[in-house]
């Protein structure tokens, strides 16, 4: 009885010991097969269990490292490349011949009661492999900078869509309220969609913007109001911390010019504000040069500006057009380097309005001064203005002279237009023509006839009266330019 109890207690202890040992996930028979393949046919059960535990631990290490690479690559599927990288990190020779892009094909072999799975090797014809064309060489890796947009304006570069491609693409839906983001940016109270990015402007800048608006739009003739208006313009032209308000100022100028064409005071103040913005060297206005030039061209070449049709209103209108022409020239000189097509676009717009016989004389006046301001040198004035004066006199200037004989308003328009032409033509006389003994020389009949043949009788007569021989040579030289 005592011997039976002793044997029972030993058996119970053995069962409890085997139950406390961890259960292996890795099949021990596969470890035995590998051991026999490398020349170790006889291996004890204890050694086999120890080897299986070590294999299981090492495989777990590889899987953990491979999962780390998978997460860094933002993937949810583990690939053979992750396994290869993990084995390299663990200083284990990687397994070659496995490609992640190609699925693995497993074959099944029956060895006794247990099935054995293996990867089928693809058979490749050696002759086909040799005669196959070589793959293309990959392109060299290069790095370059690319600005999609600057200050919200799409840049002109080969990587971005061109203007023609943008016209062919219909990015925005049609109809009112089709794009609620624009409604939200425009300040509507209840847009159905609000943009994720909000332009945050401090309360101080908002107050500053409102004060500038109030000072500029006050048309009182009080001396104190005029001083406040001048102080506001001086502040805009010199304040370095208003760069966040630049798009708001540009939008304010565009809206006021578009809705107040009948009010010369408002238009003049908007041009003064534009002049102050251009004079501020701390502001980056290159992306907004086109928007500002549109408002300036409206004041310079608008068909109907100002509500007063009398002589005093006409003089104020011509003063505004001359001031706007000077502003357009400043814009062209300052921002044509950033946009190579900016100056040619302005020249085409002015030339189109100048040669249109349906326009009133005030539009021709603004177009002449605008061309003179935008032109980069004397040769440009000779090509775009001097060479066009003969046709301009025949179709537009001569009929205006006939009306000026009976209408005092037409007389003022004629004299103003002719004065703008003479002032512009005088700018074409550069220093390339040497004068005799440093003097300005003289004019003869042959020279006078040449001038009238180039610019017409009306303009030619005024130029001859100036007695400027250097100017005469410059006009004669204009017919040789193309």
């Amino acid at each position: 009885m005592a011997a039976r109890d002793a044997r029972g207690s030993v058996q119970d202890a053995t069962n409890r010991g085997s139950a406390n040992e961890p259960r292996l996930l890795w099949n021990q028979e596969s470890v035995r097969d590998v051991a026999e393949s490398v020349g170790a046919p006889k291996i004890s059960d204890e050694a086999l269990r120890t080897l299986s535990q070590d294999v299981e631990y090492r495989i777990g290490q590889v899987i953990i490292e491979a999962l780390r690479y998978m997460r860094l690559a933002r993937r949810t599927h583990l690939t053979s490349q992750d396994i290869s990288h993990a084995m390299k990190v663990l200083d284990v020779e990687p397994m070659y011949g496995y490609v992640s892009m190609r699925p693995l094909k497993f074959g099944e072999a029956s060895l006794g009661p247990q099935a054995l799975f293996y990867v089928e090797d693809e058979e490749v014809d050696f002759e086909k492999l040799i005669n196959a064309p070589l793959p293309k060489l990959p392109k060299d890796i290069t790095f370059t900078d690319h600005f999609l947009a600057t200050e919200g304006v799409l840049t002109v570069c080969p990587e971005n869509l061109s203007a023609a491609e943008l016209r062919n693409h219909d990015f925005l839906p049609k109809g009112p309220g089709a794009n609620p983001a624009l409604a939200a940016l425009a300040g509507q109270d209840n847009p159905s969609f609000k943009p994720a990015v909000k332009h945050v402007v401090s309360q101080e800048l908002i107050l500053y913007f409102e004060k500038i608006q109030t000072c500029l739009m006050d048309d009182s003739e009080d001396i104190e109001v005029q001083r406040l208006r001048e102080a506001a313009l001086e502040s805009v032209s010199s304040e370095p911390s208003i760069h966040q308000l630049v798009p708001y100022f540009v939008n304010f100028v565009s809206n006021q010019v578009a809705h107040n064409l009948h009010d010369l005071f408002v238009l003049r103040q908007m041009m003064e504000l534009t002049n102050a913005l251009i004079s501020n060297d701390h502001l980056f206005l290159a992306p907004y040069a086109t928007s500002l030039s549109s408002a300036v061209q409206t004041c310079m070449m608008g068909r109907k500006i100002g509500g007063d049709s009398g002589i005093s209103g006409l003089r104020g209108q011509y003063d505004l057009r001359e001031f706007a022409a000077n502003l357009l020239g400043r814009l062209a000189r300052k921002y044509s380097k950033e946009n190579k097509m900016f100056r040619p676009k302005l020249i085409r717009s002015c030339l189109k309005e100048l040669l249109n016989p349906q326009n009133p004389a005030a539009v021709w006046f603004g177009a002449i001064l605008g061309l003179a301001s935008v032109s980069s040198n004397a040769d440009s004035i000779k090509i775009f203005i001097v060479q066009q004066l003969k046709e301009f006199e025949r179709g537009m200037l001569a009929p205006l002279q006939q009306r000026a004989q009976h209408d005092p308003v037409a007389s003022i328009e004629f004299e103003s237009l002719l004065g703008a032409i003479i002032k512009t033509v005088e700018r074409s006389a550069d220093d390339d023509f040497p004068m005799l003994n440093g003097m300005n020389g003289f004019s003869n009949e042959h020279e006078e006839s040449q001038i009238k043949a180039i610019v017409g009788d009306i303009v030619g007569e005024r130029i001859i009266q100036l007695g400027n021989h250097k100017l005469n040579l410059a006009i004669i030289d204009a017919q040789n330019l193309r």
Side-chain angles (χ1 to χ4, degrees):
M1 181 66 67
R4 190 182 302 115
D5 293 339
R7 286 196 301 269
S9 61
V10 172
Q11 187 175 2
D12 293 340
T14 303
N15 294 335
R16 287 195 302 271
S18 60
N20 293 331
E21 292 180 356
R23 184 179 178 181
L24 295 176
L25 300 177
W26 193 259
N27 190 3
Q28 299 183 19
E29 295 300 326
S30 61
V31 179
R32 187 187 300 275
D33 294 337
V34 173
E36 291 178 355
S37 64
V38 297
K42 295 182 179 180
I43 185 171
S44 63
D45 294 340
E46 187 65 26
L48 182 63
R49 184 175 185 82
T50 303
L51 284 175
S52 300
Q53 289 178 350
D54 188 66
V55 168
E56 186 175 319
Y57 173 74
R58 300 300 177 186
I59 290 179
Q61 272 188 315
V62 173
I63 293 175
I64 290 173
E65 292 293 333
L67 289 175
R68 190 172 299 167
Y69 279 100
M70 181 192 72
R71 295 189 187 99
L72 289 175
R74 307 288 184 180
R75 287 186 280 102
T76 57
H77 296 280
L78 194 66
T79 63
S80 58
Q81 292 294 330
D82 298 329
I83 300 294
S84 298
H85 292 318
M87 297 177 74
K88 289 180 181 178
V89 169
L90 297 174
D91 199 16
V92 179
E93 184 179 359
M95 300 179 65
Y96 302 100
Y98 296 98
V99 183
S100 300
M101 304 301 295
R102 185 178 58 187
L104 298 178
K105 296 182 179 179
F106 291 93
E108 182 180 356
S110 299
L111 296 176
Q114 188 174 3
L116 179 64
F117 294 92
Y118 62 95
V119 179
E120 294 183 355
D121 295 329
E122 182 181 359
E123 295 183 359
V124 180
D125 190 356
F126 190 67
E127 184 177 357
K128 291 182 179 180
L129 183 63
I130 293 177
N131 296 329
L134 295 175
K136 295 181 180 180
L137 292 176
K139 296 182 179 180
D140 294 335
I141 299 176
T142 57
F143 296 93
T144 183
D145 53 350
H146 170 220
F147 292 93
L148 179 63
T150 305
E151 295 284 337
V153 180
L154 188 68
T155 55
V156 180
C157 61
E159 291 82 4
N160 290 344
L161 293 176
S162 62
E165 292 173 334
L166 287 175
R167 286 193 295 268
N168 295 331
H169 286 72
D170 190 8
F171 290 110
L172 297 177
K174 305 299 182 182
N179 194 341
L182 296 180
L185 290 175
Q188 295 184 7
D189 294 334
N190 297 316
S192 57
F193 170 78
K194 293 185 178 181
V197 179
K198 184 179 180 181
H199 192 190
V200 179
V201 181
S202 63
Q203 291 295 328
E204 291 79 7
L205 285 178
I206 294 175
L207 182 62
Y208 177 86
F209 182 68
E210 293 175 351
K211 290 295 184 181
I212 295 294
Q213 285 181 309
T214 304
C215 294
L216 293 179
M217 301 302 290
D218 190 353
D219 57 352
S220 175
E221 296 182 358
D222 187 10
I223 298 179
E224 188 65 28
V225 174
Q226 295 179 5
R227 289 178 179 175
L228 287 175
R229 193 183 305 138
E230 295 175 357
L233 293 173
E234 178 66 24
S235 175
V236 174
S237 64
S238 58
E239 182 63 41
S241 60
I242 59 173
H243 57 276
Q244 282 188 305
L245 296 178
V246 169
Y248 298 95
F249 277 125
V250 173
N251 186 51
F252 175 64
V253 170
S254 301
N255 289 337
Q256 294 299 322
V257 169
H259 295 91
N260 294 279
L261 291 177
H262 62 282
D263 194 338
L264 283 178
F265 173 79
V266 175
L267 297 179
R268 180 73 184 196
Q269 296 309 310
M270 293 303 101
M271 294 299 98
E272 294 284 357
L273 178 59
T274 304
N275 182 40
L277 290 172
I278 299 173
S279 302
N280 195 334
D281 296 331
H282 302 284
L283 302 180
F284 182 62
L285 294 177
Y288 308 99
T290 302
S291 300
L292 288 175
S293 67
S294 299
V296 173
Q297 288 181 81
T298 302
C299 295
M300 184 182 71
M301 298 184 294
R303 294 179 64 90
K304 183 61 177 177
I305 292 179
D308 189 1
S309 59
I311 295 178
S312 60
L314 190 63
R315 295 188 184 279
Q317 178 189 151
Y318 274 76
D319 290 340
L320 174 64
R321 293 180 188 272
E322 185 174 2
F323 182 60
N326 293 330
L327 282 181
L328 194 67
R330 292 188 61 190
L331 285 171
R333 290 189 296 272
K334 193 170 184 179
Y335 303 113
S336 59
K337 293 182 180 179
E338 286 80 3
N339 187 356
K340 300 299 182 182
M341 297 302 297
F342 183 54
R343 189 190 296 269
K345 188 189 302 182
L346 298 179
I347 292 177
R348 284 195 299 267
S349 299
C350 296
L351 197 59
K352 178 181 177 182
E353 298 298 330
L354 176 64
L355 300 180
N356 186 1
Q358 304 299 326
N359 287 331
V363 177
W364 300 331
F365 175 84
I368 284 283
L369 294 180
L371 272 175
S373 298
V374 172
S375 299
S376 58
N377 49 42
D379 289 342
S380 300
I381 296 177
K382 296 175 185 177
I383 294 173
F384 297 119
I385 299 178
V386 176
Q387 293 183 1
Q388 312 296 331
L389 288 179
K390 183 73 173 180
E391 180 183 353
F392 180 76
E393 178 181 316
R394 185 187 306 112
M396 290 161 271
L397 193 58
L400 181 62
Q401 186 184 28
Q402 295 177 0
R403 294 199 310 270
Q405 297 175 1
H406 309 286
D407 187 358
V409 175
S411 176
I412 295 176
E413 291 179 341
F414 174 75
E415 292 298 331
S416 299
L417 180 58
L418 191 57
I421 294 174
I422 299 301
K423 182 190 295 186
T424 302
V425 172
E426 285 180 335
R427 295 184 56 183
S428 64
D430 52 18
D431 297 330
D432 295 340
F433 302 98
M435 299 295 104
L436 182 62
N437 297 326
M439 303 298 292
N440 203 0
F442 58 90
S443 300
N444 52 38
E445 294 182 359
H446 177 66
E447 189 175 285
E448 293 175 0
S449 61
Q450 283 183 300
I451 292 174
K452 290 183 179 181
I454 295 172
V455 299
D457 295 336
I458 301 175
V459 180
E461 188 65 30
R462 292 291 182 94
I463 293 175
I464 292 171
Q465 292 177 3
L466 296 176
N468 190 340
H469 183 60
K470 185 169 66 173
L471 176 59
N472 298 342
L473 293 179
I475 295 174
I476 295 173
D477 180 69
Q479 62 182 349
N480 301 323
L481 296 177
R482 292 291 184 270

